[in-house]
Amino acid sequence: MEKGLFPSTPDDGELLLKNMASQVATYQVKYPIEGIGISVPGIVRKDGYMVTAGAIKPFYKVNLKEKCEAAFHLPVVLENDANCAAIAEQWLGNAQGIENYIVVVLGTAVGCGIIINGKVYQGAHGAAGEIGWSMQGPLDYTHDLEDDSWNFTSGVILGLYNRYYQATGQKISDARLILDLVRQGDVLATKVVDQYYDDVAKGLLNLICVFDPEVLLLGGGISANQEFLDNLTDRIEKIKRHHRSMNQLKNETIADIKPCLLRNDAGLIGAVYQAKKMK
């Protein structure tokens, strides 16, 4: 498998499409490309219309499938990035042979792919899995309630950045720096990360209680961090022990939480699988 990246994502949608088309043309010189699969953040309708597109603002309210097919001169299939991760894990990862499971991607924000009876659950409007909008804690109507959503409390970048900034007034360039401060014994960083583990663990267990999956898989760059996974697992087990019903059913109905086998490549691989199915 070959992969690469753009140094930055331009704010100009047409320029971004042009850059993507240039990459497609480069690979067409080396490979017989029959179709393109695209993993994209946001709410994607079945016809390729982007209701939202995460941080890629130029792709809001456009039919990205039509634009890409016009630019690439190839058939294109689009899917939400968390759904792509879930599809990839069923194809080649830790969900092989499993029909009911959830993949949660902890990245800048929080994404979620829900598989029910072997198929991606899209919801009525293609918006199923937008768990990042769910709210935690008391509601403060004096400010935008989205600032209290799971995206802003539990996304690796948004969650840790925002928490640390609120606690210290200091901005950081990389969430890993907060984990480094914890290792150094920094009191505020330790408090921020401790609350972060609580909120992520609560959110994951809430999903398990609602959907009763066979397994819940964690994806995103943080899923490759064994220290993070170990600490999160400890926090999840602590919550189970102190929750009467979960503790009673932990070996019967409460699903295990594991990392995605394909780690941060799951979204890309899921997009490839969607393209293969177009044949």
Side-chain angles (χ1 to χ4, degrees), residues 37 43-44 62 94 100 146 167 209 216:
I43 300 171
V44 188
V62 300
N94 279 337
N100 296 282
E146 190 165 358
C209 292
L216 187 150

Side-chain angles (χ1 to χ4, degrees), residues 74-93:
L74 287 165
V76 170
V77 60
L78 274 79
E79 183 59 84
N80 168 270
D81 52 0
N83 287 345
C84 279
I87 290 165
E89 287 296 314
Q90 190 178 52
W91 181 30
L92 298 172

Side-chain angles (χ1 to χ4, degrees), residues 12-37:
D12 184 327
E14 294 304 317
L15 177 58
L16 180 53
L17 278 172
K18 183 179 179 181
N19 291 345
M20 293 166 66
S22 175
Q23 288 299 308
V24 170
T26 298
Y27 280 107
Q28 281 180 309
V29 174
K30 299 191 288 183
Y31 305 106
I33 298 177
E34 299 179 13
I36 303 292

Side-chain angles (χ1 to χ4, degrees), residues 57-171:
K57 301 303 181 184
F59 287 168
Y60 278 61
K61 311 298 183 186
V62 300
N63 191 306
L64 188 57
K65 173 182 168 67
E66 291 180 355
K67 284 184 172 290
C68 287
E69 288 183 336
F72 307 158
H73 306 292
L74 287 165
V76 170
V77 60
L78 274 79
E79 183 59 84
N80 168 270
D81 52 0
N83 287 345
C84 279
I87 290 165
E89 287 296 314
Q90 190 178 52
W91 181 30
L92 298 172
N94 279 337
Q96 293 180 69
I98 297 176
E99 292 201 336
N100 296 282
Y101 64 97
I102 295 173
V103 170
V104 173
V105 179
L106 295 175
T108 301
V110 184
C112 178
I114 303 166
I115 306 297
I116 299 176
N117 297 329
K119 297 181 179 179
V120 175
Y121 178 66
Q122 302 277 7
H125 309 95
E130 288 292 337
I131 61 171
W133 295 347
S134 61
M135 291 168 283
Q136 296 195 357
L139 298 181
D140 181 354
Y141 292 100
T142 64
H143 68 274
D144 187 344
L145 294 179
E146 190 165 358
D147 291 343
D148 295 322
S149 70
W150 214 36
N151 271 340
F152 285 80
T153 59
S154 297
V156 176
I157 295 177
L158 290 177
L160 284 176
Y161 281 23
N162 289 340
R163 289 173 186 276
Y164 191 71
Y165 178 70
Q166 290 168 3
T168 67
Q170 299 177 33
K171 295 184 178 180

